[in-house]
Amino acid sequence: MLTKFKENQRVERWKDTPFRDILAVEWEKPTAVDSLGPINAVLPEDAVILTIYNGVVSERWINEKQLPDSLLVRFENNTLDIRLVKGATLDRPVVIHHISEATSPIHIESKISIHAEENTHASFLLLESGEGHYLATPEIDFEIKDHADIEWVRVVLNSDESFSVMELNCDQAESSKFHAVSYQSRGKIIRSNIRMDVNGEEAYTQLDALNIAKEEQHLAHVVDMSHAKPECESNQQIKNIVKDKAMTLFDGEIHVHVDSQKINADQMTRTLLLNDGARTLTIPRLEIYADDVQCTHGATVGFMDHDHMFYLRTRGLSDDAARMLLMRAYGAEIVASIENGSIQEWLFHILDNDIEALL
């Protein structure tokens, strides 16, 4: 992965992320030591917990007797393989807790492969957290079969010294549904490279993302939405709250292939800047080779609305309370899009803490 960063740091769609900060560090391999971390972690209620510690699946935290019969889990070294049996519906969320701990700079690699067979329904949460100076580069592969309905939530709560660059690839079949939610708030550089390939008719794809950036953070989403079959729909909604000298980046491409007619694809980015030094960069891309499609993109950038602030202040709220209320309402739309109630409730608590840290 480091070689890939070095080779592409000046290439289009890579050059806007400061990979030089990552490449300037002499990264070491992590030592294989188990962790007691999950004991004290606050996670969504009634979840199936799978733990990855410094890139290695931690077997001691996986109780096969507590795994649903329709959820098959296999692990080897730094690869976690998950399979949903045909027709399965999981009522409990599956939480993959990716823990990183470093006393010296370490590069943590991990791979997660999720195969959802026909007519399956499940919600997954990947939580990244840790302590110390580390680079995490998780790779996630989804294969979603006909009529499967999968929700994927990634929450990045890494250390202030950390870097995280994720690559996600999703392959969707006919009449399938994939809902991805990305919540990025803690870490020096966080970048999500997301590729979604729709290879079946009447499939639906949705991406909702929220970046909460402060100080000198760089939070990025680089998205490739590929429609290879007709009669499909996709929606992308990205929201940013940016403070201090932080920067957010969204580079999103919608690619409609030849003869992929009746595509409805929408892409929207909204950014709330909290001061003059905060920055955002939005790069929409449309590559369309069919004539009967509806593809749109848009972007808005603005500051806190003074009229809204004045209204809340006249109702007795303090300046901080009014700001917190407006910022929470702004970010709540993304969290509320999560279908699984346990994950949604848990993430609302995280959102409240992150908003409070901006005051």
Side-chain angles (χ1 to χ4, degrees):
M1 187 66 76
L2 289 173
T3 301
K4 187 176 183 179
F5 296 164
K6 187 175 182 179
E7 292 175 347
N8 290 284
Q9 60 178 322
R10 292 182 177 86
V11 176
E12 186 74 16
R13 308 197 79 188
W14 290 81
K15 63 183 181 180
D16 295 310
T17 295
F19 284 105
R20 61 185 179 276
D21 295 347
I22 297 175
L23 296 172
V25 179
E26 292 291 333
W27 300 104
E28 303 172 1
K29 291 184 178 181
T31 55
V33 179
D34 211 342
S35 171
L36 300 179
I39 290 178
N40 297 318
V42 178
L43 300 173
E45 294 184 357
D46 195 32
V48 178
I49 310 296
L50 305 174
T51 304
I52 299 176
Y53 176 72
N54 280 1
V56 178
V57 177
S58 185
E59 298 182 29
R60 65 181 293 184
W61 296 109
I62 299 177
N63 186 343
E64 294 187 358
K65 294 182 179 180
Q66 295 180 357
L67 293 178
D69 293 337
S70 55
L71 182 69
L72 306 180
V73 178
R74 183 171 62 89
F75 39 86
E76 183 177 354
N77 297 325
N78 65 340
T79 300
L80 174 63
D81 186 84
I82 299 173
R83 182 177 293 269
L84 284 170
V85 176
K86 182 177 180 180
T89 295
L90 295 186
D91 297 324
R92 300 165 61 193
V94 178
V95 176
I96 303 169
H97 193 182
H98 190 289
I99 304 170
S100 303
E101 293 183 348
T103 55
S104 60
I106 58 173
H107 176 201
I108 301 167
E109 299 177 277
S110 58
K111 294 182 180 180
I112 301 169
S113 178
I114 299 176
H115 179 94
E117 295 184 359
E118 293 86 348
N119 295 293
T120 52
H121 185 284
S123 294
F124 295 88
L125 166 65
L126 172 62
L127 168 61
E128 291 185 37
S129 64
E131 297 180 358
H133 190 191
Y134 56 86
L135 165 64
T137 55
E139 298 179 29
I140 296 96
D141 291 314
F142 272 97
E143 185 179 11
I144 303 177
K145 293 296 187 179
D146 297 356
H147 300 280
D149 184 348
I150 301 298
E151 180 172 64
W152 168 260
V153 183
R154 177 182 179 238
V155 177
V156 184
L157 306 177
N158 283 317
S159 71
D160 293 339
E161 301 175 85
S162 70
F163 304 93
S164 177
V165 181
M166 179 206 70
E167 290 199 0
L168 184 147
N169 295 287
C170 180
D171 186 338
Q172 282 185 253
E174 182 178 340
S175 299
S176 63
K177 179 181 178 181
F178 181 62
H179 180 205
V181 180
S182 176
Y183 182 99
Q184 301 184 154
S185 67
R186 304 178 198 176
K188 189 174 182 180
I189 295 176
I190 308 172
R191 177 178 165 117
S192 295
N193 298 321
I194 300 173
R195 180 174 182 84
M196 295 173 286
D197 291 296
V198 181
N199 294 312
E201 296 185 15
E202 298 184 351
Y204 178 74
T205 310
Q206 181 176 340
L207 170 64
D208 293 296
L210 177 61
N211 293 310
I212 301 178
K214 62 182 185 297
E215 298 175 355
E216 296 184 352
Q217 286 180 291
H218 175 93
L219 310 184
H221 287 88
V222 179
V223 179
D224 288 283
M225 181 72 246
S226 175
H227 286 284
K229 297 293 182 179
E231 302 282 353
C232 295
E233 181 178 353
S234 66
N235 289 284
Q236 301 175 48
Q237 179 178 210
I238 313 297
K239 281 194 166 186
N240 306 303
I241 303 176
V242 194
K243 184 184 179 184
D244 303 323
K245 295 182 180 180
M247 177 181 176
T248 60
L249 164 68
F250 174 73
D251 185 330
E253 177 177 293
I254 298 173
H255 183 184
V256 179
H257 294 250
V258 176
D259 296 330
S260 295
Q261 308 293 352
K262 304 295 183 181
I263 297 297
N264 186 356
D266 180 62
Q267 183 188 92
M268 188 68 193
T269 308
R270 296 181 174 88
T271 302
L272 176 62
L273 301 177
L274 302 184
N275 58 273
D276 290 336
R279 297 182 298 152
T280 188
L281 177 60
T282 299
I283 308 173
R285 305 173 190 267
L286 298 178
E287 190 172 349
I288 301 172
Y289 298 99
D291 53 13
D292 188 9
V293 300
Q294 182 175 334
C295 297
T296 63
H297 65 80
T300 64
V301 181
F303 294 93
M304 195 79 73
D305 192 300
H306 293 294
D307 291 338
H308 293 167
M309 285 291 296
F310 177 77
Y311 177 85
L312 293 174
R313 293 297 305 278
T314 60
R315 281 359 185 225
L317 272 69
S318 67
D319 186 75
D320 282 350
R323 287 178 179 276
M324 185 167 181
L325 183 62
L326 290 174
M327 287 189 289
R328 188 186 191 278
Y330 184 85
E333 182 181 6
I334 300 299
V335 179
S337 72
I338 299 172
E339 178 183 334
N340 184 271
S342 178
I343 298 177
Q344 183 189 113
E345 181 180 1
W346 171 83
L347 190 52
F348 265 123
H349 290 295
I350 302 296
L351 175 64
D352 289 341
N353 292 333
D354 286 337
I355 294 297
E356 188 174 0
L358 294 175
L359 299 178

